[in-house]
Amino acid sequence: MTKNTTPRALAVEALTRVANGAYSNLQLETTLESHNLSDVDRRFVTNLVYGTIQHQLTLEYYLEGFVKPNQKMLPWVKMTLLVALYQGLYLDRVPKRAIFNEAIQLAKDRGHEGIRRFVTGVLHAMDRQGLPDVNEIKDPVKRLSLTYSVPEWLVTAIQKQVGDDKAVSILETINQPAAQSVRVNTAVGTVEEVKQSLVDQGYTVTPSVVAGNAFRLTDKAANQSNVFETGELTIQDESAMLPVEALQVRPGDQVLDACAAPGGKTTQIAALLDAHSGGKVTALDLHPKKVTLIEKNAARMHVSDRVDAVALDARKINDQFPKKEFDRILVDAPCSGLGLIRRKPEIRYEKTPQDIQQLQKVQLGILDAVSEKLKPNGILVYSTCTILDTENADVAAKFLAAHPDFESVRVETQLKVKDDRSTDTLAIYPDDFDSDGFFVSAFRKKK
């Protein structure tokens, strides 16, 4: 390896950029694509980046005990120490000597002699004195916050919503690796044909217990398969497939996907439509660049003849669609994304209770606008990839209260997920099926 391109150095660079506002998944992808790494090193960089972010509050708690109060550290210096801490605490097979040597070398290469001495001193002090025991923290909320690296406000919100035992179960799950799941594009191939092709290519294929026409894959990345290249499958979390199942799409329906980019649900809807019968999905997104992305996904999945992508703020839908012309409407709304913490671990640190309240206003605004475009007896599905009632059940209740011309209908899914629940709405928590957290509700417009 040349200077500063070791896996640890690349991880520190990526983490520093994430700390400055980059998305972890996109930054990691850029880092991996711009360096010729072996598969082992790619996995190591990925582990270091996601692992350090997942446990960042915990790691920062430990680090605080070994630096002076108000000690100013350059962001990359702090990340160098957090990466070293993460390896020592959570990676059993990494030798301490390698952790220390590379951290100190990185401090020397990127900084000056003072930084090298500082990093060396902190690492050796941690090794000599040991780290405090999080389990000895008396405040139960703070103890959970630092054990699972989740802000205290979010711990409290989850506890209030689901109780202490379920909250711990959720918190334990969100720092585990996310499963790799795919959806078969039934507009092109059959489930059995795609499964056999994946098996022939060396994948371990497990049918989903959450969504129809879906698999979990292990052993290789799904986008390396030939059926991905041919558009016979797409990468999509199992929970994310449920809102479209709840729409009960018919072949000739006119469907609105109000918040569509990057187009996963749009193409899922399109696969259920028949262009010859007039079936079409109109996919909206606020940003023209994202509309282009929807169109590219539709082309890859061979459903362009059933997709009309439009750059439009869904709250201004009356400007372009004055009539009640849709049989089905999907609002997969902008949300906090807290159900996706395993895939985007930094989300937990970025959101505040104030953000959640503001998002609820946006969500209700979109629902208010698009609901006017639904035909009588049509179905409107509202979904999010978050786990907080403020954005989920509360939004559904407020929408119904403000729209007496709508009634709640029970969310039905192909595999009858949580069929014994007492609510019309469907809430999926990350620990339920080891999938993303999601919420789905459905409403019918009365005649």
Side-chain angles (χ1 to χ4, degrees), residues 256-328:
L256 175 68
D257 187 355
C259 311
K265 295 178 183 66
T266 300
T267 59
Q268 186 182 358
I269 292 167
L272 301 171
L273 297 173
D274 178 11
H276 298 295
S277 301
K280 185 178 74 173
V281 52
T282 300
L284 307 184
D285 195 87
L286 184 60
H287 305 287
K289 286 185 178 180
K290 291 187 176 181
V291 170
T292 301
L293 184 58
I294 296 169
E295 291 171 338
K296 286 181 178 179
N297 277 328
R300 186 181 73 81
M301 302 291 282
H302 308 285
V303 291
S304 295
D305 60 339
R306 287 157 267 182
V307 175
D308 184 14
V310 180
L312 182 68
D313 184 338
R315 290 169 292 186
K316 298 178 180 179
I317 192 169
N318 201 53
D319 295 349
Q320 207 156 328
F321 299 91
K323 298 179 181 178
K324 295 179 173 64
E325 56 185 275
F326 296 106
D327 302 287
R328 300 287 187 267

Side-chain angles (χ1 to χ4, degrees), residues 182-184 186 191 208-215 236-250 253 255 264-270 272 328-330 332 379-383 409-419 421 426 428 438-442:
V182 296
R183 173 176 56 81
V184 176
T186 54
V191 171
S208 172
V209 298
V210 179
N213 306 326
F215 301 123
Q236 190 174 5
D237 187 77
E238 298 154 281
S239 298
M241 303 176 201
L242 299 180
V244 173
E245 292 188 5
L247 272 177
Q248 303 175 33
V249 175
R250 300 163 300 186
D253 277 343
V255 184
K265 295 178 183 66
T266 300
T267 59
Q268 186 182 358
I269 292 167
L272 301 171
R328 300 287 187 267
I329 296 178
L330 172 63
D332 187 50
I379 292 177
L380 166 63
V381 167
Y382 170 76
S383 63
V409 295
R410 184 176 174 82
V411 170
E412 301 288 352
T413 64
Q414 192 169 328
L415 300 183
K416 301 188 181 302
V417 177
K418 288 191 169 182
D419 209 33
R421 69 186 189 279
L426 173 62
I428 304 291
F438 239 86
F439 174 82
V440 189
S441 55

